[in-house]
Each structure stands twice: as structure tokens, then as C-alpha cells.
Amino acid sequence: MPNGAHSLQIVQVVPLVRVRSLANRVFDYLVPQEFEGSVQVGALVRVPLGRQVIRGVVVDLGPSQPLPPEELRPIAAVLSDRVPEELVSLAKAIADRFLATLASCLQLVVPPGERVWREGASRVRRFWVMPVTDMLQGETGIRLTKKQKAVVGAVPPEGMPLKEACAVAGVGPAVVRTLVKKGLLELTVQPDQIGTEAQITLQYSTAAAEPSSAWPSLYPEQEEAVCSLLNAYEEPGYSHRLLWGVTGSGKTEIYLHLIARALSEGAGAILLVPEIALTPQIIERVRSRFGAQVGVLHSALSPSQRLREYRRICRGEARIVVGARSAVFAPVRDLRLIIIDESHDQSYKQEEEPRYHAKTVAELRLAARGGLLLEGSATPPVETLVRDTKPVRLSQRASGSQPACEVVDMRRQGGAGLLAPLTRAALAEVLRRQEQAIVLLNRRGYAGYVHCERCGHVMVCQDCELSLTYHISVGQLLCHHCGRSYLEPAVCPSCHEAPLVRSAPGTERLDRELRDLVPLERVFRLDSDVVTSGARVQRVLEDFARSRPGVLVGTQMVAKGHDFPAVTLVVVADADTGLYVPDFRAAERTFQLLTQVAGRAGRANLPGRVLVQTWNPDAPCIRMALARDEAAFYKTELDLRRRLGYPPFAELVRLVAAAKDPRRAEAGARYLVERLGRHLGPTEIRGPARLPSLKGVARWQVIVAARDGSRARRLVGWIVRGLEDAYRQRGVSLTVDVDPQSFL
Ligand code: ADP
Ligand code: ZN
């Protein structure tokens, strides 16, 4: 066939570009004769766009508009992988539901090898540099040049992109590489350039274990749950259920039974888990039952591993997929079951374009093809409880009993320490008995803020208007948003009269405070400052598991689904950290965190004890979490939300206007309110409100809270599309977040 000959077949293609003005557009192309008839919906192609050739996805056959074929350009190439048609429809549905661009949603469903944006390549930050923490803690005796010192000073504990490190320190990459050779810095490839889901990476062998036949017999309560859920599975069409079971009640066992049923009739299943790095056991559990039929998909896999798993799934070799958020897009054959474990977990929402929630995606996907969506949690989201009036309950633990919870009222505890005398005594007792304890403090660093006691001045980031955290490991104040570091001034920079005080103690401080009580080698710390990779997470967890006695200290990472049989004491060092954040879910999150972390105690034969230190023992969410009064908590919360018009009684869309020039950001938000106000009632629009600037960008927020969510979304989508270009020309960017989970 001569090159350049074109058939008259026309297809509609969405080029995978990031530029918003193009990312929502569909272009018509001619199919070259050699491919005539073989180009289907879902085909991956390369197409000319302007002066470039760009990857794209065929989303429809036939022209989208009546243009004569002479004016159309031909497709440049057709690639071998393709996207199943079902997933093309899903991408369209997500773009519609979350007001995201079609190109960004298609990026979620294209084969992994294709996941690199052609546009904006400079935004792809590949190399990530971070300190080797142990080194920075001691005096290392290594002499550094001025340039090298600048780099070491610039890199925060959590690391930063190589390019940025060089820019901040004003050096070339060679300086960084020298420091890597000296063992002071570590250079890694940033795991995922699109999603932030796996900032923590973990390498798994994809070699499959032999499936074992060891299925424990179910307890009566589990038996009943499986029975009822299998009935739901058999229902024709789409169904949704909630499995509400206390921590350790054997929910995973029930998932495995449902998956086995799906497999037995030739169907496929997806099991979503929050953060794979924190709960690697679950993969092993599923693998040990189903062997090579299990595919594992998460962004910590190397690109080639990922592609290999993807193809195994496409070919139907792997019919079960276990993975984090993005695994909800896995091209599983004959999908009939999606299970979302720990469905309250915040990692199910993607906090960047496209801002989808995996649960909604699962709903859309199964609603289109039929199947069961099962959410499992010990602390279900308030929103789920309203929809699902008859959850399947598990109230007994498979082994061990529910630990006793005690409040430690910090107002009555003398001394300035972070741990009350009662708590210290309990820890000492655990050590004496050679058992283990977990201490949760949901704040990183040494001091959450540093302020002047005389004039009240608080040290904030000059770019972000967020309070700076003191990190003793680097001896500097760090901005947790942008990573910028500052020297701690000796006196208050505002009144010049008093020294600064370090308040709001974090895990670094707790770690130190424990040193006089617990031998150094018995304390294990788990937070994103010390564990910058999945391998390190695993090492810390394994070391802790082996250490008896042992104390695991950390942020909410320690509250995830770990199963350590020797843990008999759980301490919440400060239950109040999440109480006063400006978020209507603050109480819910506190309740969930306390309930989850309490569930880590007494999981085996040993009895568990939970100590909750708080300055607010009367805060309803703390009181009810301690009393395990779920009914009261959910009732209070629902009443409040009904009164204030929050989800589930309204659907939210969050709009943020951002600009370097604060007046433009404000004007952008005000005009948005005016435009929305022509169609929505006054109670449906909240704001505009000023938010803290981030990285030198001023931000104003408008929240739409509407009973009729689909009408509100349509309206917002229409208004934003109309304003976007004009705003951009004035230097104002608009972000739209449907069903927002975070309001920072
Ligand atoms: P959950 O997912 O609700 O936290 P798991 O499924 O992890 O609970 O179960 C908690 C513990 O109990 C695990 O160690 C698990 O192996 C064990 N377990 C669960 N169900 C059974 C059963 N029917 N027989 C024996 N052990 C069980
Ligand atoms: Zn900052």
C-alpha cells in the first residue's frame, strides 16, 4: 500500500495534552488506507497537532463536525496497545462528573507505558534528591565546600526535585552528585510523575506464589456476612454494600470469599487498598490464596513491571487486581466486583487534576456494566452511612478482644512533658513485660510552630503564609508545603525583645522524650521524614515487629492496618491535633483516627490498653471515640451536617482562583461569585474567602454547596469554561474540585 494514501474513514481523537484549552477538545482525523477499518474506539494513535506529533486516543468513529475530508490531516501512526472501549466511556464519565479535561481522564486509562505527557515536559521532575537522614543527625566529620553546604542546607528531609535543589543552592548537578558519592544525599527517581499516590515506593517481586488451599473456616458472624454479600453479588445490575466491621474482625477474609465466587464464575475483581507500602501483608494474603491470577498495580512498580502487569490483566491472565487508588482503572476482564478496603481513607481522592475519587469511579464503572461495589471499614465515611441504611456488621474480633480506652486529661497532669506520668508508667510496664507499644502523634518535626511569647509573632513561610516547623535533625525551620528552609533566629524578628518558643511538639520531639524511658535501639519512628521510601517503611515495620520490647512512634502512618500481635499499649500523645483545622470533616477524621489506632492494640491473645491524651476530653468526637459510641457519633455528625448544609445533605464544588497578584485573585473569585449568583441561591454559595498564599501565589476560595449536585456541577462547568481563557490572560488560574476532601 503506497504511503500517504488515505481512506475516507474519519475518527475523533483526543490528543493527550496538558494545555487546558486543548485538553477538552476532540479533533477529526483521516485514517490512512493501510489502517482502514482496523481503527476502533480506544485505539492509541499519534496525530499531528500544530507543528507537533502527539499521542492520542480515538474516542469515536465518524466526524464530529461537517468538514470536507481535504481539510483533515491523517493519523501518523497507530500503536499496538489499545484502551478497552469500556474504559474510554469511563474516562468520559469521569471528565463529566469531576469537571476535568477529557485528556487528563484518558491519561488514567491508557496503558502505563503511554503515561508520559508529551506536553510540558519540563514539569516532569524525574530525579529526586534527599538527605541520608542518619548522616545529618550527627556531626559527620566530612568537610564540605561552600557550594556543597548550600546544597545540604537547601534539601529538606523529605527531599526535593534535583532541578529545584540546584536552583535553590545556585549550583550545578555535579555538586549534588559529589554529595551523593560522599553518602550525604540520596538520588532517586521520583516514583510517579502523574499521581502523588505513591510518594512512598515499594518494590515487589511480581513472581507469583503457589496458591494455598488453607482457607480458615469462618466464624458464624463472618459466615452470615458472606452469605448476605453473596446475595448482593447475585443481584442483577449494580449494587452497593458496606461491610462495617471493627478493626480485626476479619473483613479481609470476607473479601477473599467474594473474590473466590467471582473467579469461580469466570468474572474478575478489583481490591483497592489505601497505601500499599503501609500494608504489604494484604497483597501476600491475596496472592497466597489465588496465586498467579493476582495482578498488582501501583505506581511504585517500575514502568516495565507495570506494563507487564497491565498486559497480564488485559490478556485475562490476572483476573484479580490489588492496588491503590489508580487500580480502579485496571482493564480487568468481565469485571463484576470492586472492593474498597478502609473506604474512609483519604488516599482514595486524587488531589491533582483530574481530582477524582476512586469510590465514585468504581460506582460509575459498575453502574455501566453491573456488579457489586463493596466498601469495607471500621469507621465508614459519614456519607456512606446515609446511602447504605443496612450495612453488614461485624462486631466481634477474630482474635483478641476490644481494648479498653482511657482518657488522660492533660489539664490535670502536672509537668511540661509531652507524656503524662500515667502514660510513662504504662510504657514502662510494657517494657518490663517485654511487650510492644505504639505511640501516635500526628505532627511531624520537632515543633509545629515557633513563636514569640512576648509579641505573639509566629514564624511563617515567606512564600506560603503557613507556619514553619522546627526540625531538630537539620536544625532549621521548614515549610511543609514548599520545602523552603529558614534559620531559626535567636530573637523574635518582630519585637527583637524575646527569644522564640517552640510549640506544638511533633514526632521528632516525642522520639527524644522517649529516650530516657526506652533504650534507643527499642524506639522505631515512622513518619515521612524518616521513611522516604517504601523499602524504608518496610524495614522500620519489620525491625519493630522483631523487637521485644519495642515502641513504634509516628504520625497517622502508625494507625493504618498493621497487625502486630505483641502490641498491648496504644498511646495517642495528642488527640487534639486534628480538631481545629478548618474542615467540616475535622471531627470525623479525629473520630476515625482514634478508632483506627485503638484497633492496633490487643490483636492477639494479650489484652490491649489505649491511652488517649487530650486537652479536650469533652470534645464530642473524642468522648464518643473513647466510649466506642458509634451510633451517637454518626447521629451527632449527621444532625450537624444537615443543619449546616454539608455532605451528604449537599454536594460540594470547591473553586480556587489563584494569581501572583492578590488583587487579581480576589477579583477573580468575586466575579465568579457574581456569575454563580445569577443561577444559585445565596445559601448555595460560600465565600469568597481568602486562603493562605502558597509558593508566593495568592488564593481565594468559593464553595458551591448544592442539594442538586448534578445541576450545580453542570452550571459550574459551564461558567468556568466560559471564564477560563479570560482569567488566564489576566494571570488568574481557576481550579475546580468536585467533592473536595481537602480545603487547604
Ligand atoms: P480486618 O480486615 O477486619 O482488620 P483481618 O481479616 O485482617 O481483619 O483479620 C484479623 C486477624 O484475624 C487476621 O490475623 C486474620 O488472619 C484472623 N482471622 C480472620 N478471620 C479468621 C477466621 N475465620 N479464622 C481464623 N483467623 C481469622
Ligand atoms: Zn513555603
Side-chain angles (χ1 to χ4, degrees):
M1 194 65 54
N3 233 355
H6 307 305
S7 69
L8 288 181
Q9 192 193 354
I10 296 169
V11 293
Q12 298 169 33
V13 174
V14 172
L16 299 179
V17 293
R18 199 158 199 153
V19 185
R20 271 196 82 94
S21 53
L22 292 178
N24 252 336
R25 289 189 49 193
V26 176
F27 295 84
D28 292 354
Y29 287 92
L30 282 175
V31 176
Q33 234 167 45
E34 57 201 293
F35 296 118
E36 192 174 6
S38 68
V39 176
Q40 302 294 328
V41 170
L44 281 169
V45 292
R46 285 176 178 282
V47 289
L49 189 71
R51 268 180 291 155
Q52 283 178 297
V53 176
I54 290 187
R55 226 176 285 252
V57 179
V58 174
V59 293
D60 237 321
L61 305 180
S64 66
Q65 48 180 335
L67 271 186
E70 311 83 79
E71 291 183 25
L72 298 180
R73 299 167 82 177
I75 287 173
V78 179
L79 307 174
S80 59
D81 280 313
R82 59 184 301 265
V83 182
E85 201 170 333
E86 176 217 345
L87 292 179
V88 175
S89 310
L90 183 65
K92 288 181 185 170
I94 296 165
D96 194 47
R97 178 67 176 68
F98 289 99
L99 302 176
T101 66
L102 190 48
S104 72
C105 294
L106 284 166
Q107 280 286 358
L108 299 166
V109 299
V110 296
E114 314 293 335
R115 275 193 193 194
V116 179
W117 293 98
R118 304 256 328 157
E119 301 291 280
S122 62
R123 296 199 50 170
V124 177
R125 297 159 165 186
R126 259 191 97 66
F127 290 105
W128 191 261
V129 54
M130 60 193 154
V132 175
T133 326
D134 314 348
M135 288 300 203
L136 290 184
Q137 266 165 357
E139 268 296 281
T140 54
I142 300 175
R143 292 179 59 121
L144 299 179
T145 65
K146 220 172 168 179
K147 281 186 173 178
Q148 290 169 343
K149 274 189 196 147
V151 176
V152 171
V155 179
E158 61 273 27
M160 71 200 294
L162 173 63
K163 266 195 186 148
E164 234 165 75
C166 292
V168 172
V171 302
V175 180
V176 176
R177 290 190 201 279
T178 313
L179 287 166
V180 173
K181 277 201 200 110
K182 283 181 188 282
L184 285 168
L185 295 178
E186 206 174 283
L187 200 57
T188 56
V189 176
Q190 202 182 5
D192 192 345
Q193 293 131 31
I194 303 293
T196 48
E197 161 190 312
Q199 283 161 347
I200 293 166
T201 62
L202 195 52
Q203 292 298 323
Y204 282 99
S205 66
T206 39
E210 274 299 301
S212 96
S213 50
W215 289 72
S217 54
L218 296 175
Y219 301 111
E221 221 187 6
Q222 283 175 316
E223 193 89 60
E224 257 172 61
V226 167
C227 212
S228 140
L229 292 170
L230 281 177
N231 281 339
Y233 176 81
E234 297 300 339
E235 277 171 27
Y238 166 68
S239 46
H240 169 255
R241 287 291 186 284
L242 167 67
L243 175 60
W244 184 1
V246 298
T247 52
S249 57
K251 293 184 287 296
T252 312
E253 211 48 52
I254 290 170
Y255 304 156
L256 296 173
H257 275 79
L258 288 171
I259 293 171
R261 165 62 68 89
L263 282 183
S264 74
E265 53 177 49
I270 295 176
L271 170 59
L272 298 182
V273 294
E275 279 155 278
I276 295 231
L278 289 172
T279 48
Q281 306 105 317
I282 194 153
I283 294 180
E284 291 320 311
R285 259 169 98 180
V286 182
R287 276 234 182 95
S288 74
R289 301 287 167 87
F290 303 109
Q293 299 178 84
V294 182
V296 178
L297 266 192
H298 53 87
S299 34
L301 297 174
S302 73
S304 61
Q305 281 174 323
R306 205 178 223 285
L307 188 61
R308 197 167 57 217
E309 287 294 88
Y310 185 92
R311 289 186 173 147
R312 271 190 349 108
I313 298 163
C314 276
R315 286 196 298 265
E317 289 165 29
R319 289 189 295 157
I320 309 156
V321 170
V322 185
R325 181 177 68 225
S326 63
V328 75
F329 299 103
V332 172
R333 289 235 192 135
D334 298 316
L335 179 68
R336 279 212 55 197
L337 173 66
I338 300 180
I339 300 168
I340 307 183
D341 187 30
E342 313 284 5
S343 72
H344 59 275
D345 198 279
Q346 274 176 267
S347 70
Y348 289 123
K349 170 85 177 181
Q350 172 148 300
E351 292 295 352
E352 56 185 64
E353 170 89 11
R355 296 179 161 74
Y356 69 88
H357 196 293
K359 182 164 84 185
T360 313
V361 175
E363 263 165 31
L364 291 168
R365 194 165 175 190
L366 289 180
R369 55 174 305 133
L372 171 66
L373 170 60
L374 175 63
E375 287 182 54
S377 177
T379 52
V382 172
E383 282 108 308
T384 301
L385 275 183
V386 179
R387 282 192 318 180
D388 199 301
T389 41
K390 280 200 304 291
V392 178
R393 299 288 308 246
L394 292 177
S395 54
Q396 303 294 317
R397 277 190 159 191
S399 56
S401 52
Q402 292 269 60
C405 282
E406 300 158 51
V407 66
V408 182
D409 186 344
M410 294 305 274
R411 296 171 305 185
R412 305 215 181 105
Q413 301 289 329
L418 190 49
L419 297 174
L422 172 72
T423 310
R424 293 177 70 89
L427 277 166
E429 180 63 19
V430 164
L431 293 173
R432 200 182 54 72
R433 288 201 307 252
Q434 305 279 312
E435 293 169 358
Q436 295 180 320
I438 291 179
V439 187
L440 164 78
L441 179 55
N442 206 10
R443 191 186 287 121
R444 285 160 51 206
Y446 191 84
Y449 65 92
V450 172
H451 65 111
C452 171
E453 263 193 345
R454 181 154 313 169
C455 75
H457 175 82
V458 176
M459 297 295 293
V460 293
C461 175
Q462 287 161 18
D463 295 332
C464 300
E465 293 186 313
L466 296 177
S467 64
L468 293 167
T469 299
Y470 180 70
H471 283 253
I472 206 162
S473 60
V474 287
Q476 285 181 332
L477 299 170
L478 298 180
C479 171
H480 279 184
H481 184 78
C482 70
R484 190 168 162 183
S485 61
Y486 300 79
L487 291 175
E488 190 185 34
V491 291
C492 171
S494 177
C495 68
H496 304 285
E497 284 187 21
L500 293 165
V501 184
R502 296 171 188 161
S503 298
T507 45
E508 243 185 11
R509 163 106 181 263
L510 179 61
D511 186 345
R512 280 174 193 240
E513 204 172 303
L514 281 171
R515 297 287 167 86
D516 61 333
L517 190 69
V518 190
L520 182 66
E521 70 279 8
R522 297 286 180 192
V523 180
F524 303 85
R525 202 171 115 206
L526 194 64
D527 60 39
S528 54
D529 292 331
V530 274
V531 288
T532 38
S533 69
R536 289 193 197 187
V537 173
Q538 220 176 16
R539 204 175 330 136
V540 171
L541 291 176
E542 279 169 10
D543 289 349
F544 170 63
R546 272 196 298 271
S547 172
R548 291 192 61 172
V551 180
L552 179 68
V553 176
T555 53
Q556 40 83 27
M557 283 174 134
V558 303
K560 304 285 163 161
H562 315 297
D563 194 357
F564 297 111
V567 170
T568 53
L569 173 68
V570 164
V571 174
V572 180
D574 183 354
D576 312 340
T577 47
L579 274 188
Y580 300 110
V581 294
D583 189 325
F584 73 94
R585 290 192 181 89
E588 180 182 0
R589 299 239 163 92
T590 298
F591 182 85
Q592 286 169 341
L593 185 64
L594 293 181
T595 308
Q596 291 288 341
V597 75
R600 303 305 123 216
R603 284 179 67 96
N605 308 327
L606 303 165
R609 185 178 183 196
V610 181
L611 295 178
V612 177
Q613 301 194 148
T614 173
W615 293 85
N616 298 278
D618 299 323
C621 60
I622 292 182
R623 197 162 34 80
M624 294 170 193
L626 285 167
R628 294 189 192 292
D629 197 346
E630 290 155 344
F633 171 73
Y634 284 102
K635 183 176 182 313
T636 314
E637 197 57 28
L638 281 172
D639 286 349
L640 194 71
R641 295 202 189 171
R642 186 179 289 118
R643 202 147 42 78
L644 300 179
Y646 278 121
F649 303 101
E651 292 186 41
L652 304 187
V653 182
R654 179 185 189 232
L655 296 149
V656 176
K660 287 249 183 238
D661 180 345
R663 285 163 312 180
R664 293 198 164 191
E666 178 177 357
R670 291 202 184 282
Y671 185 62
L672 205 53
V673 169
E674 191 199 311
R675 288 294 307 274
L676 291 164
R678 294 180 202 167
H679 308 273
L680 295 169
T683 57
E684 293 180 306
I685 305 170
R686 303 183 189 168
R690 200 176 94 82
L691 297 174
S693 304
L694 291 180
K695 297 185 187 171
V697 176
R699 302 179 309 145
W700 282 73
Q701 165 179 282
V702 179
I703 305 257
V704 172
R707 257 170 214 283
D708 185 348
S710 59
R711 173 174 172 263
R713 284 193 299 272
R714 266 200 313 278
L715 190 67
V716 169
W718 173 68
I719 290 178
V720 166
R721 266 197 302 279
L723 293 178
E724 236 169 9
D725 285 338
Y727 273 40
R728 197 176 312 109
Q729 279 158 21
R730 289 174 178 78
V732 181
S733 75
L734 271 178
T735 324
V736 182
D737 190 357
V738 174
D739 304 338
Q741 293 287 321
S742 162
F743 298 85
L744 293 176

